[in-house]
Amino acid sequence: MSFAASARRAVLPAAVLAALAVPAAPAQAASFSVTATVETAPVSHSGDAADDPAIWVHPTDPAKSVVVGTDKKGALEVYDMTGARIQRISGDYGNNVDLRGNIVVTADDEAAGGNGAMHIYRIDPATRQLKRLKDVPTEVTAHGICLYTSPASGKLYAFPNSTSGRVEQWELAVSGDSVTATSVRLWDAGSAVEGCYADDTTGKLYLGEEDVGVWIYGAEPTAGTTRTKLDSTGSAGHITADTEGITAAGNRIYVSSQGSNDFTVYDRATHAYLGRFAVSNGTAADDCEDTDGIDASAADLGPAFPQGVFICQDGSNGAPGTSGNQNFKFVPLQRITANFA
């Protein structure tokens, strides 16, 4: 049952319903801008091509961490922490990408020329190169994707989702180069969905319904379809459609508010709305506009990002008044977190 349906059955006063539907802002919600210190090489295809990044933390040398980014017109790209491309894999039309440990999964977007399957890779820590292991056809025609490692069972799951609103949960068992994939849950979230984030600590799944807002589900396969709302689009909330990328780092959740060219921030424990920020033009990189995917990590990622990084896809790469092939911008995470108490 949806949150809205359960609230209507309770027949609560409108003011109470409003407070339940959207987290109240603190007395002085933050609103600020930051600049990026690194931008990646542009993706090879022009137009609306780059979409979603995922951060891989090297197990022994943080400076050798990498960012995997999608070029949904036909490639998967791997960048080092200076933004240089170190690998390009042709034939992957991934719209979204996520990873856990050394396993990387893309949602091969059929609308962009792909086959609508999940593509599963392993990253080699010694070479930082990705090897494709298996393609897994899905019921939902994959568009968005996020991964989840259950704190209860230790099992790895993937959540491919579709512009139709359908969401599927797959259990992935990877042994060496062998992959076993089993569908364990399938449901309809409503209208078009894409961005999602599954929290390995709390067992929550955050799912972005593009024109509606962000819903919170249980991430375990037995969780059913009960949901509550993190935030809404339009005048009822703080997000300007489309609701796109969703991620978390430290004690905060971040959402790409694509229509307003900025990012909303929430408390990871209480889900309270904390404020918003934009990534503006700076001396090292230009701004992030019309952002699709985002990712963030509070891990040490080497001398350039010792307290973590926030990464945004830039839908209009270039100085004001110009435009080039899209890319990804890296912001030291402390530039964002310093603005919150």
Side-chain angles (χ1 to χ4, degrees), residues 35-40 53 66-67 79-83 285 288 305 309-312 328-332:
T35 57
T37 57
V38 168
E39 60 180 320
T40 66
V66 302
V67 174
Y79 309 97
D80 66 19
M81 297 311 295
T82 73
C288 275
F305 303 100
V309 69
F310 174 88
I311 300 178
C312 49
F328 302 92
K329 305 301 197 298
F330 298 4
V331 180

Side-chain angles (χ1 to χ4, degrees), residues 193-273:
V193 294
E194 178 181 347
C196 63
Y197 171 76
D199 195 323
D200 298 347
T201 302
T202 64
K204 291 178 168 47
L205 170 67
Y206 299 85
L207 181 67
E209 192 176 0
E210 292 189 357
D211 294 329
V212 176
V214 178
W215 295 101
I216 308 170
Y217 293 84
E220 292 295 322
T222 56
T225 58
T226 300
R227 64 184 186 178
T228 58
K229 187 173 281 185
L230 175 71
D231 205 348
S232 298
T233 59
S235 60
H238 306 97
I239 304 169
T240 304
D242 285 351
T243 302
E244 290 286 348
I246 306 170
T247 190
N251 58 4
R252 295 175 183 87
I253 299 168
Y254 302 94
V255 175
S256 172
S257 177
Q258 189 179 60
S260 53
N261 293 322
D262 61 2
F263 310 94
T264 53
V265 186
Y266 310 85
D267 185 280
R268 196 167 179 174
T270 67
H271 297 142
Y273 170 73

Side-chain angles (χ1 to χ4, degrees), residues 149-157 220:
T149 301
S150 167
S153 67
K155 293 180 178 180
L156 175 66
Y157 296 95
E220 292 295 322

Side-chain angles (χ1 to χ4, degrees), residues 120-153:
I120 301 171
Y121 299 82
R122 179 190 298 280
I123 187 167
D124 182 349
T127 64
R128 301 185 293 173
Q129 300 285 294
L130 271 63
K131 177 182 179 181
R132 192 151 156 181
L133 304 181
K134 187 173 184 175
D135 294 355
V136 178
T138 62
E139 176 72 22
V140 302
T141 309
H143 181 66
I145 193 104
C146 54
L147 300 188
Y148 170 64
T149 301
S150 167
S153 67

